[in-house]
Amino acid sequence: MTDSHPAMNSIRETKVWSTSGYLIFVAFLALLILTIWRIIAFAGSNPPDEAIFGFVVSTGLSAVALVILSSGFYMIQPNQAAAITLFGSYRGTDRNTGLRWVWPWMGKTKISVRANNVVSEKLKINDLRGNPIEIATNVVWRVADTAQALYDVDDYKAFVEVQIEAAVRSIGSRYPYDDIEHHEVTLRSNHGEVNSELRTELNVRLGLAGLTVDECGLTHLAYAPEIAGAMLRRQQAEAVIAARSKLVLGAVSMVEMALQQLSEKNVVHLDDERRAAMVSNLMVVLCGERDTQPVVNTGSLYT
């Protein structure tokens, strides 16, 4: 037995009819002045009874027109929009700034299309190796489609918070925190690649709500406190191993170059045993952590 659920009606932003509020405001002032002048003029005269009814009717119509004109005004600031609805039906979005006017029975919902900055909370997740880490991000987002933001999700700002957390957890679990041996993409070393993938992930998730991400990046990245000490010692050991490997490689090259030049310039002829002794001494001198003390041998190597 299967349950069928109706699909959500996705709404896209369209342009709505609206007019400049300044022209309507001039008409409103003219009608207001005319109405006040008629009332003052009528009060100062002695009209017949049949003229009173006409005056009351015309004054009432003027008052209704004034209410209608005044109820249709709204203002839009820079980087702001207004979604217009008619009895619950979306009619379009007005992005023109300044004083605007539509029919008063049309609803007006203002929405900001400015850039917003969100710094997420520190999240504890497991990286690709299963190590617990703490991670946080900074996201710059804005509303791209006002109709989707208002009518496709219940609360687009809360939607952003939840989707940022989900995206950070997803990206953080795809990469190791750090890696020296395998030369993989890591969270600590490859900021550009990680941030680019995080932005792509967020744009896919927030596209449902008509939102777009302009910039994002990790603001906090560290091992969880319970393993921070052990991981620090591991990093130190890996650094020492890497340094010693480079030191030995350089020492071998220097010893090889020294033996080659001694042979080419006929400075000294060494047999295998003397060559081995020289190599051993040079390696000790080059790889030792302390200063070596030279010993002058005045006798024979074989005595």
Side-chain angles (χ1 to χ4, degrees):
M1 182 177 179
T2 60
D3 297 330
S4 60
H5 301 281
M8 183 181 67
N9 294 326
S10 182
I11 302 176
R12 295 293 185 270
E13 180 180 323
T14 58
K15 189 175 181 180
V16 70
W17 174 88
S18 65
T19 186
S20 174
Y22 300 104
L23 297 176
I24 304 299
F25 184 70
V26 171
F28 173 81
L29 288 179
L31 181 59
L32 178 62
I33 293 172
L34 177 61
T35 303
I36 295 175
W37 177 80
R38 290 185 70 250
I39 293 174
I40 294 175
F42 187 82
S45 63
N46 189 16
D49 294 339
E50 60 271 12
I52 297 178
F53 178 76
F55 172 78
V56 172
V57 172
S58 60
T59 304
L61 292 177
S62 298
V64 172
L66 288 173
V67 172
I68 291 175
L69 291 177
S70 63
S71 300
F73 290 111
Y74 62 97
M75 288 189 297
I76 299 180
Q77 298 178 359
N79 292 318
Q80 193 179 47
I84 308 301
T85 57
L86 177 61
F87 304 121
S89 176
Y90 173 70
R91 309 304 297 174
T93 298
D94 185 9
R95 287 179 177 258
N96 298 305
T97 58
L99 184 63
R100 308 295 298 172
W101 187 88
V102 292
W103 296 109
W105 47 82
M106 302 183 76
K108 299 170 283 290
T109 303
K110 293 183 180 179
I111 180 173
S112 174
V113 293
R114 300 167 181 145
N116 295 269
N117 188 67
V118 174
V119 179
S120 67
E121 299 289 338
K122 294 180 183 179
L123 304 176
K124 182 181 290 187
I125 63 175
N126 293 329
D127 68 354
L128 184 63
R129 304 254 188 266
N131 299 317
I133 62 175
E134 291 181 346
I135 188 171
T137 186
N138 175 62
V139 178
V140 179
W141 64 274
R142 57 185 171 84
V143 175
D145 191 302
T146 57
Q148 284 187 284
L150 288 174
Y151 306 117
D152 282 359
V153 292
D154 186 59
D155 186 346
Y156 66 92
K157 292 186 178 180
F159 185 79
V160 170
E161 299 283 348
V162 174
Q163 294 304 321
I164 287 176
E165 179 178 348
V168 170
R169 290 185 180 277
S170 176
I171 296 298
S173 62
R174 296 179 191 175
Y175 300 104
Y177 175 88
D178 197 5
D179 182 65
I180 297 179
E181 299 177 356
H182 302 91
H183 305 288
E184 296 179 344
V185 176
T186 63
L187 297 172
R188 189 174 70 90
S189 302
N190 302 88
H191 299 289
E193 297 180 26
V194 173
N195 292 341
S196 177
E197 187 168 349
L198 178 60
R199 181 172 179 267
T200 302
E201 177 87 8
L202 284 171
N203 277 322
V204 172
R205 292 176 176 270
L206 299 180
L208 175 65
L211 310 175
T212 184
V213 175
D214 294 327
E215 183 182 352
C216 63
L218 300 181
T219 58
H220 176 78
L221 182 65
Y223 282 113
E226 57 267 24
I227 67 166
M231 288 302 174
L232 179 60
R233 290 192 295 271
R234 175 190 171 188
Q235 289 178 352
Q236 292 174 343
E238 290 176 345
V240 170
I241 292 173
R244 287 188 175 276
S245 298
K246 191 171 183 179
L247 181 64
V248 170
L249 181 62
V252 171
S253 299
M254 294 176 65
V255 170
E256 183 180 3
M257 180 179 63
L259 294 176
Q260 181 180 359
Q261 291 186 2
L262 288 173
S263 299
E264 290 178 353
K265 296 181 179 181
N266 295 322
V267 175
V268 63
H269 296 284
L270 301 175
D271 55 18
D272 292 341
E273 188 173 355
R274 292 177 181 270
R275 184 184 297 269
M278 178 174 288
V279 169
S280 176
N281 292 334
L282 288 175
M283 291 297 293
V284 170
V285 171
L286 294 174
C287 296
E289 295 182 357
R290 299 180 180 178
D291 294 336
T292 56
Q293 299 294 330
V295 176
V296 179
N297 184 12
T298 59
S300 172
L301 178 66
Y302 301 101
T303 57

